[in-house]
Structure formats: C-alpha cells, structure tokens
Amino acid sequence: MEEQVYRFLLTSPGQDPAALGLGDAQLEPAVSRLIGLGLVTVTADKGLVAERPEATLELLVQRRIARIVTDLRDVVTARDRVGALTTEADQAAGLMARIERLYGSDAVTDRILQDWQLEPASEVRAVKSRPRKPIYPRTDRLHTNTLFNLRRGIRYRTLLSSSTLDDPQYLDHVRALHKLGDSHRVTTDAIQEILVYDRTRAYVPLEAGNPLAGALRIQDPGVAATLTDLFDSVWERSTDLELYLLDRATANERKVLDALRDHETDAAAARHLNISVRTFRRHVADLMVRLNAKSRFQLAATAKEMGWF
C-alpha cells in the first residue's frame, strides 16, 4: 500500500493521492507511514511531495544500519564502539559507495562465494539466530565452501541463539561442524544475524529476522571492525556448544524422555512422537551414550536427577 502511494506521488507531483480511489482507512495510515520514514514530506500548503528514489535509498540504508546498531547495543557494553558505528551511519553519504544491496538468499550466496575467489579471508565470525534450511552437503554451496575452508585451516567462529538447538536436525549439523573446527558457542541473549570477514567486510540482513530477504554487504573497515568487537564481546560471555549441551536437554530430548516414561512400548512412544520405531530407538540410544547409562532404567534415573523430566 505504501509503495503504491509513494509511486503515485513520485510520478504525479502535487496531485492528491485520494485519486487512487483508496478509502481513508487505507490511505491515511499509508501516508503517515511514508511521512514517518521520511519518504514523503508535507509542504507549507499541506501538499504531499515524494522524495527522489536516490535520496530514499540512502535514508533506508541509514535506518537499517541504525537498527542493527540498536539491536547489538542491547546485548553488549561497548558503548564507545557503538557510538562510532552510529556516527558512521549518520555519515552514510560516504558509506553508500561501500554498501551493496543483495536481494534474496541466492544473490547473497553468489556474492559470498565471489568474495572467497577474489579476496579470501583468514577468519570468519558468524551469528545465527535461527535454524537454517535442511542441509544437503551435495547442493548447499556455502556448506561445501565452509568444509573446504576448514580443511585449509581458516578459523571459523559461530555464535548460536539457544533457541536454534531445539531443532534436532540443525543440532546434528552444528555439532558436526563444531567437531570439524568451526567453533560454536551458545548465548541466551537476543542476537542479530551477521557475518564478518577479517574485520574488513560484513553481511547483515536487509530485514531483521528474515535472512531470506537478502543482505547488505558492507565493505567498510570501520563498520566491520565495530561489528567484530561487538561479536567478540558476546562471544566472551557465551558457552561452548558441548559444555552447554552437557548440562541441558534439548526440546527434542525431553520429548523422547517423556515418551519413554509415558508409554509402555517403543511402538506407542514412536507413534506419539510421529516418528518410526527405529528412529525412536536411535534417539534413546543416543541419550544413553550421552548420559553414560547402561540401561533404560539408569537413563531415566539419571535424567530425573539432572532435572530433565
């Protein structure tokens, strides 16, 4: 709706947007939103004027960077560095030349892989706040690139939101990468997804909470260094993945234990969880290994002692 009104004002300066035929209930909120974003201004005679597209693009980039700064500032104490980043955002005219907008996850993947060909990094910092799509090693190009880089000795560090570990498939994926050298730590803080290479360039989502929408690629040492410092601050206060899991049952493990306790047969427990009997038994076996239990009775007793029930 806002885009429709903005395009009308841009192509028909001085005209009343009521000509679009929209009702007041739709038109007034759209106009208010555009004014609030700075995309439309009110003239002295109370007319409406749309700002030029190049000006609005700069404004939106400034707002996006400022939002990232706000999100990160909530979970770190490096206020002086945050202030420096805010100053960078306020001077976005010079920064614009170093910002690239990438629309959609495929465009982001292509640009990241191009970066590795043209300007390989020696260290990668990543923040992931939600599980990724199912990993298929033969087709996931970023996953394949990560494995290749780990074999080359490139250092990877990844911060995970604790909520990502409730997905058993994703948990298996990150544990495998952790064992291969991609060091993972877990935080319960609210975190914003970022990807930083060598304190020189960074990727941040175009839309908060929606990495599939695309990303801003920022080739600016000042911004990248600030994001690196913020990452390191949260990293120091986070817990190694295996240590975190040692004292904590995942949501999936709790479901398996509850089903084991509440059902007399494996078949009934598997039906309750909507999985196969074979998969249920594998989950139980994994829990027995993890808790060093020699029997299911010992598994239940140990889990209860640890407060997993």
Side-chain angles (χ1 to χ4, degrees), residues 211-222:
L212 296 180
L216 293 175
R217 179 186 181 275
I218 306 173
Q219 182 83 28
D220 183 87

Side-chain angles (χ1 to χ4, degrees), residues 117-296:
Q117 292 179 344
L118 300 176
E119 192 178 351
S122 60
E123 185 170 18
V124 179
R125 293 171 171 85
V127 179
K128 298 178 180 178
S129 62
R130 61 177 57 198
R132 288 295 175 272
K133 62 184 180 180
I135 299 298
Y136 301 101
R138 293 184 180 179
T139 58
D140 192 297
R141 294 179 293 159
L142 287 182
H143 179 66
T144 301
N145 185 66
T146 297
L147 296 179
F148 177 73
N149 289 333
L150 288 172
R151 287 194 293 269
R152 294 169 55 204
I154 293 174
R155 187 184 186 194
Y156 276 74
R157 286 192 286 165
T158 302
L159 268 171
L160 296 172
S161 170
S162 56
S163 62
T164 65
L165 304 181
D166 290 339
D167 183 323
Q169 183 181 18
Y170 188 62
L171 176 58
D172 289 344
H173 168 66
V174 298
R175 292 182 81 168
L177 282 175
H178 187 70
K179 291 178 181 178
L180 290 173
D182 182 355
S183 182
H184 287 70
R185 287 192 178 182
V186 183
T187 178
T188 57
D189 288 334
I191 53 178
Q192 170 73 280
E193 297 207 359
I194 58 172
L195 187 62
V196 185
Y197 296 100
D198 285 347
R199 301 177 68 91
T200 60
R201 61 189 186 274
Y203 288 80
V204 299
L206 278 174
E207 297 179 12
N210 183 19
L212 296 180
L216 293 175
R217 179 186 181 275
I218 306 173
Q219 182 83 28
D220 183 87
V223 175
T226 298
L227 292 174
T228 298
D229 291 344
L230 295 170
F231 175 97
D232 289 347
S233 177
V234 180
W235 179 267
E236 291 301 318
R237 298 187 289 108
S238 302
T239 306
D240 179 84
L241 175 65
E242 294 299 340
L243 291 177
Y244 179 86
L245 294 175
L246 186 62
D247 298 322
R248 183 182 179 90
T250 66
N252 188 63
E253 287 172 331
R254 290 181 183 273
K255 290 178 182 178
V256 171
L257 287 167
D258 288 342
L260 183 64
R261 177 195 60 193
D262 297 337
H263 298 275
E264 294 183 359
T265 66
D266 288 354
R271 281 196 302 272
H272 175 75
L273 296 175
N274 197 28
I275 59 178
S276 68
V277 174
R278 181 177 180 179
T279 299
F280 175 75
R281 288 172 178 168
R282 178 171 61 80
H283 287 322
V284 173
D286 289 344
L287 278 167
M288 291 177 66
V289 170
R290 182 177 171 188
L291 298 185
N292 195 28
K294 305 302 181 183
S295 66
R296 291 189 175 192

